[in-house]
Amino acid sequence: MTDSAPLPRPGAASRAPFGRRLCTTASSRDSGGYRVVSLVDREGPEPLPGQFYMLAAEDGWGAEDGRAFLPRAISVAETRVGAAGGGIRLDFLLDAVGPGTRALCDARAGEKIWITGPLGNSFASPREVAPGAAGAVLVGGGVGVAPLALLRRRFSERGVPHRVLLGFRDRAHSGGLDLFCGSSGALCPEVRLATEDGSQGVQGRVTDLLLSILAGDDAESGVVYSCGPPAMLEAVRALCADHGVACELALESPMACGFGACFGCAVPKPGGGYLRLCVDGPVLRGGQVGEVSHAYA
Amino acid sequence: MTDSAPLPRPGAASRAPFGRRLCTTASSRDSGGYRVVSLVDREGPEPLPGQFYMLAAEDGWGAEDGRAFLPRAISVAETRVGAAGGGIRLDFLLDAVGPGTRALCDARAGEKIWITGPLGNSFASPREVAPGAAGAVLVGGGVGVAPLALLRRRFSERGVPHRVLLGFRDRAHSGGLDLFCGSSGALCPEVRLATEDGSQGVQGRVTDLLLSILAGDDAESGVVYSCGPPAMLEAVRALCADHGVACELALESPMACGFGACFGCAVPKPGGGYLRLCVDGPVLRGGQVGEVSHAYA
Amino acid sequence: MPELCGIELSTPVINASGTYDAIAARSVFGDELLDDFPFSAFVSKTITPEPRAGNAPRRIWETPSGMLNSIGLPNKGLEGFLAEDLPRLAELPVPLIVSIMATTREDFANCVERVARRPEVAAIELNVSCPNVHSGLIVGENPSETEALLEALRPQTEKPLIVKLTPNTAAPAAVAAGAERGGADAVSLINTLKGTAVDPASGVPALGNGYGGLSGPAVRPVALEQVRSVRARVGLSIVGMGGISSGADAAEFLALGATVVAVGTESFRDPRAGSRVAAELECTLLSERSSAPALHLD
Amino acid sequence: MPELCGIELSTPVINASGTYDAIAARSVFGDELLDDFPFSAFVSKTITPEPRAGNAPRRIWETPSGMLNSIGLPNKGLEGFLAEDLPRLAELPVPLIVSIMATTREDFANCVERVARRPEVAAIELNVSCPNVHSGLIVGENPSETEALLEALRPQTEKPLIVKLTPNTAAPAAVAAGAERGGADAVSLINTLKGTAVDPASGVPALGNGYGGLSGPAVRPVALEQVRSVRARVGLSIVGMGGISSGADAAEFLALGATVVAVGTESFRDPRAGSRVAAELECTLLSERSSAPALHLD
Ligand SMILES: Cc1cc2nc3c(=O)[nH]c(=O)nc-3n(C[C@H](O)[C@H](O)[C@H](O)COP(=O)(O)OP(=O)(O)OC[C@H]3O[C@@H](n4cnc5c(N)ncnc54)[C@H](O)[C@@H]3O)c2cc1C
Ligand SMILES: Cc1cc2nc3c(=O)[nH]c(=O)nc-3n(C[C@H](O)[C@H](O)[C@H](O)COP(=O)(O)OP(=O)(O)OC[C@H]3O[C@@H](n4cnc5c(N)ncnc54)[C@H](O)[C@@H]3O)c2cc1C
Ligand SMILES: Cc1cc2nc3c(=O)[nH]c(=O)nc-3n(C[C@H](O)[C@H](O)[C@H](O)COP(=O)(O)O)c2cc1C
Ligand SMILES: Cc1cc2nc3c(=O)[nH]c(=O)nc-3n(C[C@H](O)[C@H](O)[C@H](O)COP(=O)(O)O)c2cc1C
Ligand code: FES
Ligand code: FES
């Protein structure tokens, strides 16, 4: 498989039921500047790491000068099968940046949220990416740590060797870190942090940590999985390309529908033309994207 | 004063502060199919019976397919000076008929509501209307009982003789009746009810009660004050005209602004042309209106 | 049984061109899509003679009760569509309407002829929001340009020709009359209103293309007025659309003279919006029939 | 200091014609209105040569993020306005712009001349969304009609003439160019979009007049695009309006080339919206100046 071949689409087992459905908010809590909102989905399949849902709050949608109008694409950060009362618990990590994420963060237990999903493709396991790969390096920044939380848990359940590098600005912006804690409540040992103010982990950027790993011996046979702001993803993409290391990047782009209907989520292909990120992604191999830019994110 | 001269505008003492202001919901309770929402207004003057406010909920406004967009005109049903923490408590009686009244009815204690007001003119006392008038007959139907509740209290405080006739469809639709109860919690003795199903008071329409009063001896020197659905108001207007009795009708019309800016609230004048109900009303003398019609209500 | 130009439809609700990719939706939702297909006919995204990649991002921007798009008609071109997409669209359980746009009459005629020849195709929608390369005029803004185009295309096929009107003109009814004179079977309206927005973060237009088209509930009053004015002028069938998000909205279009309605942007919010609108519409129409509007005394 | 055709303004925010009756507002709110008048200039409701009662109710209807109106220009007529209203409007603490509409050039010229002669008046806005009784054409939909009208009016006064463009046309920029050629000093846009709605209770058009004009945030993207296209074509001053409800909205219009902005429908929701928009705008512009748009890493 080449670095520019699209990832396979998920099979029928993690295919979205047709249409949107109303789910009840089970809980909602603060998490280092972000919010974790948990829903109970009684209909859908268990999602794969990297997949996302289109969410719209039942109450308050449209209440800020006629926005949010469209649903919002949100990655699933954690799942729990067999939630109380049946169904699957879906955890979302939300950064309240505008009317949509604000309305979702405002949902309290018992309030309802429309969801469509799971949508999009998912991260592949290192073995599928590069047979005999040494292991996985997960690189996350900001609210982009969300899909990596679920990916980390799956890797650890399946015994896939992995390291996790997370970057934050400072302690006040370290949302979602608790999603990387084991059952003991402590941060999983494979997680390393970089903060710009040095308050946790090493001082600097998460890409500094990545560079030191890529400079190591076994680097080339590893696979990097990353999600975060465009500038970080671009740095990860360029570093991996320089070091000849395979990488998978979970991108963002403006999405109206999430199921291939609107053509709004276009991401330029290196050779010209566009991908629809909602159906061709959101996870793209490094070779599938040119420079990751804020222009489409 | 003639039956077609406009009522005087309220003086400076009950003039609205310039602009809208955010008030806190003190309480909200069901009342026979309607809802009584109480706000605390720290800035405004005490309103007069018949005056109204433009209300818009801070949360949830615009959340039903982009509506409610405009604020909603609502009569003040009761006031209490010196509410806890200062200011005036304003009680509104709300019938949830659409997105605006639904959002207002959903406001829970502590939630905020934008208000502009008090707006419009007010009912005159019988003595101003007809010197030496025998007394007042208040005729209300449906959610239109609201402004009559405040009017009744003022009349009884000032010793103005008055009778109150209220009409409802059935027990399930007898909202706001509790606003006509004295401090003992029992319905004030001057209140008589007509229900279409005969469940309370006499069976029939409130205009049947009015007719029997107008047929009485002292009728002509009385004044009728009415608020309710257009068909009821028209029946009241016609009855009073037939019996040569002065009447004041609190009308409704679609209002975008409430302060004379939009010209949307036009009510036809008998001789041609239109009144702006928000500034020329909402209380009109019988002679100021032709047939009261649903067309502008 | 609703009907559009002789095509029998199970409900009066079809989709708006370019707002549903049934092939992508099937890959996302599986064959459940076919079991309860949301529309009673399927209108393809507009195809052009040559393939197009579409416009540079950013392509969508949310607005009060609506959205702007500058998608730029990405499509595989006529040949790619006929070879790859048409056979898969033919698997849908509903009649197929293919939307076409070209910038010369010759290209337009060729597309109509090639598409109409295919038995899978029930009707053709002509997207005329395009400049005539010869006159430079936007065809759909101009009654005589529209009439002349229809005269050139009418001989190519006996299948119904539906003209998708542009709303960005002073008198859409005059353009509809031109389409009628030229031999169209129906008009569909409205396409998106020209609109733009500024990205507060950069202070420049938010869409890569500088401007785009406005759709969603925000435009519904404009769409309704254009349907009303077109109905007053022509006898053609009318596909009414623009901001329909419920059966009540659809009923407004039908009340003003639309023959059937189309759901566009609402499908982005609810992938089954078409079925929901049709079901709600049925209830609305039923309740209208059973009870005259009543005035309650209290 | 913002300026419009030589008139110095304390803020770039004025009102949209027909959306604020300063005389009524003063009777409602008292002189507090004058102490903090929400606009830096006051534009009157459109006056016509003869008095008008306005349209039959229902006159307003709420729509998603907006409203329809068919008010029908009720006004006292030229003489009533000059005698009764103008002296009271002259008490406002800001420059006065009088909006005028007529259906013949002679009537228009007479109104302009009579109004401009009054020293209380700083400028005149020409509402050209009206039919020319001779040609039957809506003046503002047509570049040459607009040019000809301006040529007739220009000699009547040296005071600034502002042409209020209609948005219901394919190319507002061409009409703006006509206004410029005819000698206008500024254009203001947009007026309301033609729209309608059906009353679900009756199944017939909700407005007494059958249709009306759409305003409010719903139309903002359309207004912004028309401002952008007009700015690309003419050098005139532009009064930008249509759905402005915040300083951020106003900043979008200024970014696309508006000289000043006007607040209309938002004043119905917030009688002091003009002051609020001006204050928010100042903050927006200040923060833009002090910081380049920043990209945060997390
Ligand atoms: C596949 C995918 C997965 C995602 N996962 C997550 C996640 O797990 N957690 C999370 O918090 N976020 C996630 N996002 C991002 C999230 O979808 C956006 O932050 C969200 O859509 C923003 O919506 P909003 O209404 O809160 O903010 P908006 O106001 O929409 O602002 C966000 C950006 O939208 C733009 N925008 C669009 N229209 C307007 C307008 N009219 N005015 C102003 N700005 C506008 C601007 O560029 C602005 O910077 C994901 C996105 C994708 C595509
Ligand atoms: C002076 C005055 C005092 C009032 N006092 C009271 C009071 O004390 N208590 C009270 O409950 N009410 C009162 N009202 C009535 C109240 O203002 C209306 O019931 C309210 O505005 C309805 O708003 P809504 O959003 O709930 O319903 P809407 O959906 O606005 O429905 C109510 C009516 O509005 C119309 N309408 C407007 N736009 C639309 C649309 N797009 N779609 C469908 N229908 C539409 C319809 O005619 C409908 O029947 C008063 C009105 C006035 C003028
Ligand atoms: C994302 C998007 C893409 C569209 N693409 C097309 C198209 O390819 N051809 C076309 O005729 N109309 C296209 N339209 C216009 C719609 O068909 C429809 O006319 C318009 O969106 C109004 O309806 P709505 O408000 O229900 O969306 C598109 C609209 C949107 C929002
Ligand atoms: C109720 C109402 C009355 C209006 N009356 C006039 C008018 O008399 N003259 C005029 O030129 N424009 C009139 N307009 C149009 C406004 O001036 C403005 O162009 C339009 O409403 C768009 O701005 P907005 O969205 O901020 O309201 C009116 C608009 C409304 C809503
Ligand atoms: S989000 Fe609509 S096509 Fe991708
Ligand atoms: S409600 Fe606006 S003028 Fe009366």
Side-chain angles (χ1 to χ4, degrees):
Chain A
M1 238 176 277
T2 75
D3 193 38
S4 61
L7 289 159
R9 290 194 49 78
S14 58
R15 182 175 278 161
F18 179 38
R20 63 176 182 176
R21 52 199 187 275
L22 209 47
C23 290
T24 304
T25 307
S27 66
S28 175
R29 59 178 170 87
D30 283 326
S31 173
Y34 301 146
R35 225 172 148 79
V36 177
V37 173
S38 302
L39 306 181
V40 178
D41 177 18
R42 297 185 189 285
E43 276 179 65
E46 205 185 342
L48 301 172
Q51 287 195 298
F52 67 96
Y53 291 76
M54 298 301 287
L55 303 188
E58 193 191 27
D59 291 324
W61 213 244
E64 295 189 27
D65 190 32
R67 294 175 64 215
F69 167 67
L70 299 164
R72 297 301 195 243
I74 307 292
S75 304
V76 61
E78 186 53 284
T79 69
R80 187 70 67 217
V81 180
I88 298 177
R89 199 194 69 210
L90 303 172
D91 297 344
F92 299 98
L93 182 67
L94 287 157
D95 187 9
V97 299
T101 47
R102 268 198 291 273
L104 293 169
C105 286
D106 281 351
R108 291 292 167 268
E111 291 181 10
K112 298 235 154 60
I113 290 178
W114 288 107
I115 76 169
T116 304
L119 298 167
N121 63 8
S122 65
F123 294 105
S125 101
R127 249 139 266 197
E128 299 164 50
V129 180
V137 184
L138 283 58
V139 185
V143 78
V145 304
L148 302 182
L150 182 57
L151 186 64
R152 185 209 64 81
R153 182 169 62 81
R154 296 284 167 96
F155 281 169
S156 84
E157 281 166 6
R158 291 181 199 159
V160 176
H162 62 277
R163 285 170 283 185
V164 180
L165 315 177
L166 303 178
F168 296 101
R169 207 181 314 157
D170 50 36
R171 199 176 286 271
H173 297 82
S174 54
L177 212 49
D178 46 310
L179 296 169
F180 293 85
C181 293
S183 48
S184 70
L187 210 56
C188 298
E190 68 268 32
V191 177
R192 290 172 60 195
L193 298 179
T195 49
E196 291 183 34
D197 69 344
S199 58
Q200 283 167 290
V202 305
Q203 176 159 14
R205 297 192 160 177
V206 68
T207 42
D208 303 339
L209 295 178
L210 177 62
L211 184 57
S212 67
I213 287 184
L214 292 184
D217 283 349
D218 59 349
E220 275 180 44
S221 73
V223 179
V224 171
Y225 300 85
S226 187
C227 186
M232 188 202 93
L233 284 182
E234 173 53 19
V236 169
R237 189 199 62 77
L239 276 179
C240 290
D242 287 352
H243 289 81
V245 172
C247 72
E248 297 190 0
L249 310 172
L251 268 68
E252 288 187 10
S253 71
M255 291 187 179
C257 73
F259 65 100
C262 73
F263 287 75
C265 57
V267 170
K269 289 195 278 193
Y274 298 97
L275 297 168
R276 266 181 292 180
L277 192 69
C278 70
V279 286
D280 300 325
V283 185
L284 300 180
R285 298 194 204 260
Q288 280 182 280
V289 262
E291 206 174 311
V292 180
S293 133
H294 197 70
Y296 50 84
Chain B
M1 239 177 276
T2 75
D3 193 38
S4 60
L7 289 159
R9 291 195 49 79
S14 58
R15 181 175 280 160
F18 179 36
R20 62 176 183 177
R21 52 200 188 273
L22 210 47
C23 292
T24 303
T25 307
S27 67
S28 175
R29 61 179 168 87
D30 283 324
S31 173
Y34 300 146
R35 225 172 148 80
V36 177
V37 174
S38 303
L39 306 182
V40 177
D41 176 18
R42 299 187 187 280
E43 276 178 65
E46 203 183 345
L48 301 172
Q51 286 195 298
F52 68 96
Y53 291 75
M54 299 300 287
L55 302 188
E58 193 191 27
D59 290 325
W61 213 246
E64 293 189 28
D65 190 33
R67 294 175 65 215
F69 167 66
L70 299 163
R72 298 301 194 245
I74 307 293
S75 304
V76 62
E78 187 53 285
T79 68
R80 187 71 66 218
V81 180
I88 297 176
R89 199 194 70 210
L90 303 173
D91 295 346
F92 299 97
L93 181 67
L94 286 157
D95 187 9
V97 299
T101 45
R102 269 197 292 273
L104 292 169
C105 287
D106 282 351
R108 291 293 167 268
E111 291 181 10
K112 298 234 155 63
I113 290 178
W114 287 109
I115 77 169
T116 304
L119 298 168
N121 63 8
S122 64
F123 294 105
S125 101
R127 248 138 266 195
E128 298 164 49
V129 179
V137 184
L138 283 57
V139 185
V143 77
V145 305
L148 302 183
L150 182 57
L151 185 64
R152 185 208 65 81
R153 182 168 62 80
R154 296 283 168 96
F155 281 169
S156 82
E157 282 168 6
R158 289 180 201 161
V160 176
H162 62 278
R163 283 169 285 185
V164 181
L165 315 177
L166 302 179
F168 295 101
R169 208 182 313 156
D170 51 35
R171 197 176 288 273
H173 298 81
S174 55
L177 213 48
D178 45 309
L179 296 169
F180 294 84
C181 292
S183 48
S184 69
L187 208 58
C188 299
E190 68 267 32
V191 177
R192 290 172 60 196
L193 297 180
T195 50
E196 291 183 33
D197 69 345
S199 57
Q200 284 168 287
V202 305
Q203 176 160 12
R205 298 193 159 176
V206 69
T207 42
D208 303 338
L209 296 178
L210 177 62
L211 184 57
S212 66
I213 287 184
L214 293 184
D217 284 350
D218 58 348
E220 274 180 47
S221 72
V223 180
V224 172
Y225 300 85
S226 188
C227 185
M232 188 203 94
L233 284 183
E234 172 53 19
V236 170
R237 188 198 63 78
L239 276 179
C240 290
D242 287 351
H243 288 80
V245 171
C247 73
E248 297 190 359
L249 310 172
L251 268 67
E252 288 187 9
S253 71
M255 293 188 178
C257 72
F259 65 99
C262 74
F263 286 75
C265 57
V267 169
K269 289 195 278 192
Y274 299 96
L275 297 169
R276 266 180 292 180
L277 193 68
C278 69
V279 287
D280 301 324
V283 184
L284 300 180
R285 299 195 203 258
Q288 281 182 282
V289 262
E291 205 174 310
V292 180
S293 136
H294 197 71
Y296 50 85
Chain C
M1 191 86 153
E3 190 219 346
L4 177 67
C5 311
I7 308 166
E8 293 212 343
L9 303 174
S10 57
T11 76
V13 183
I14 71 174
N15 69 301
S17 173
T19 64
Y20 219 90
D21 180 338
I23 298 171
R26 192 173 171 186
S27 83
V28 170
F29 299 118
D31 286 348
E32 243 196 281
L33 175 79
L34 306 188
D35 299 343
D36 181 20
F37 196 70
F39 310 106
S40 66
F42 183 74
V43 185
S44 78
K45 186 155 179 66
T46 300
I47 61 163
T48 52
E50 299 302 321
R52 291 170 58 98
N55 289 339
R58 174 161 193 148
R59 289 183 174 182
I60 54 174
W61 188 257
E62 196 178 68
T63 69
S65 298
M67 65 178 281
L68 288 164
N69 86 79
S70 72
I71 305 297
L73 302 183
N75 77 98
K76 297 176 178 167
L78 176 66
E79 299 306 333
F81 175 79
L82 293 176
E84 295 168 38
D85 291 354
L86 193 53
R88 295 160 78 186
L89 294 177
E91 293 171 20
L92 300 178
V94 297
L96 191 60
I97 299 171
V98 176
S99 169
I100 291 173
M101 176 191 274
T103 49
T104 69
R105 278 183 208 151
E106 298 65 42
D107 279 351
F108 236 131
N110 179 49
C111 287
V112 167
E113 194 272 327
R114 294 288 309 282
V115 168
R117 208 198 286 163
R118 294 284 288 260
E120 304 95 319
V121 176
I124 291 177
E125 184 167 274
L126 306 167
N127 183 337
V128 296
S129 304
C130 50
N132 174 329
V133 286
H134 304 300
S135 69
L137 295 172
I138 305 289
V139 177
E141 290 178 356
N142 193 289
S144 50
E145 286 276 342
T146 302
E147 180 176 356
L149 178 66
L150 264 290
E151 280 168 357
L153 303 185
R154 185 67 280 180
Q156 307 300 322
T157 181
E158 294 187 344
K159 290 188 175 167
L161 292 177
I162 305 166
V163 179
K164 175 90 172 259
L165 299 174
T166 164
N168 302 296
T169 176
V175 179
E180 186 169 49
R181 285 193 302 274
D185 299 283
V187 289
S188 62
L189 63 158
I190 63 171
N191 210 320
T192 54
L193 293 176
K194 275 186 207 157
T196 196
V198 173
D199 184 342
S202 64
V204 300
L207 297 170
N209 194 39
Y211 72 98
L214 183 65
S215 64
V219 309
R220 196 191 308 140
V222 174
L224 287 164
E225 171 54 17
Q226 298 206 354
V227 166
R228 196 181 74 94
S229 71
V230 167
R231 173 47 75 227
R233 181 87 175 257
V234 302
L236 296 175
S237 293
I238 294 177
V239 183
M241 73 191 87
I244 293 176
S245 60
S246 70
D249 300 341
E252 291 192 64
F253 282 81
L254 298 178
L256 294 175
T259 314
V260 300
V261 297
V263 170
T265 302
E266 183 66 9
S267 292
F268 303 160
R269 310 206 301 168
D270 173 3
R272 285 171 98 141
S275 309
R276 176 172 53 76
V277 167
E280 290 168 352
L281 180 62
E282 198 164 21
C283 293
T284 307
L285 298 178
L286 276 179
S287 76
E288 265 170 27
R289 246 172 266 137
S290 66
S291 76
L295 251 180
H296 296 300
L297 244 181
D298 60 339
Chain D
M1 190 87 153
E3 189 220 347
L4 177 66
C5 311
I7 308 166
E8 293 211 342
L9 303 174
S10 57
T11 76
V13 183
I14 71 174
N15 69 301
S17 173
T19 63
Y20 219 92
D21 180 338
I23 298 171
R26 192 172 171 186
S27 83
V28 171
F29 298 118
D31 287 348
E32 242 196 281
L33 176 79
L34 306 188
D35 300 342
D36 181 21
F37 196 70
F39 310 105
S40 65
F42 182 74
V43 185
S44 78
K45 187 154 180 63
T46 299
I47 61 162
T48 52
E50 298 302 320
R52 291 170 58 97
N55 290 338
R58 175 161 191 147
R59 290 182 173 183
I60 54 174
W61 188 256
E62 194 178 70
T63 69
S65 299
M67 66 178 280
L68 288 164
N69 85 78
S70 72
I71 305 297
L73 302 184
N75 77 97
K76 298 176 177 167
L78 176 67
E79 298 307 332
F81 175 79
L82 292 176
E84 295 169 38
D85 291 354
L86 193 52
R88 294 159 77 188
L89 293 177
E91 294 171 21
L92 300 178
V94 297
L96 191 60
I97 299 172
V98 176
S99 169
I100 291 173
M101 177 192 273
T103 50
T104 68
R105 277 184 209 152
E106 297 66 43
D107 279 351
F108 236 133
N110 180 47
C111 288
V112 167
E113 195 272 328
R114 294 287 308 283
V115 168
R117 207 197 287 162
R118 294 284 287 260
E120 304 94 318
V121 176
I124 291 176
E125 183 167 275
L126 306 167
N127 183 336
V128 296
S129 304
C130 51
N132 175 327
V133 286
H134 304 301
S135 69
L137 294 172
I138 305 289
V139 177
E141 289 177 357
N142 193 289
S144 49
E145 287 275 344
T146 302
E147 180 176 355
L149 178 65
L150 265 290
E151 279 168 357
L153 303 185
R154 186 66 282 180
Q156 307 301 320
T157 181
E158 293 188 344
K159 290 188 177 168
L161 292 177
I162 305 167
V163 178
K164 176 87 172 259
L165 299 175
T166 163
N168 302 294
T169 177
V175 179
E180 185 169 49
R181 284 193 303 273
D185 299 282
V187 289
S188 62
L189 64 155
I190 62 173
N191 210 318
T192 54
L193 293 175
K194 274 186 207 157
T196 196
V198 174
D199 184 341
S202 64
V204 301
L207 297 170
N209 194 39
Y211 71 98
L214 183 65
S215 64
V219 309
R220 197 191 309 140
V222 174
L224 287 165
E225 172 53 18
Q226 297 206 356
V227 166
R228 197 182 73 94
S229 71
V230 167
R231 173 47 75 227
R233 181 88 175 255
V234 302
L236 296 175
S237 293
I238 295 177
V239 183
M241 74 192 86
I244 294 177
S245 60
S246 70
D249 300 341
E252 291 192 66
F253 282 81
L254 297 178
L256 294 175
T259 314
V260 301
V261 298
V263 170
T265 301
E266 183 66 9
S267 292
F268 303 160
R269 310 206 302 167
D270 174 2
R272 285 171 100 140
S275 309
R276 176 173 52 76
V277 167
E280 290 168 353
L281 179 63
E282 197 164 20
C283 292
T284 308
L285 298 178
L286 276 179
S287 75
E288 265 172 27
R289 245 172 265 135
S290 67
S291 76
L295 251 179
H296 296 301
L297 245 180
D298 59 340

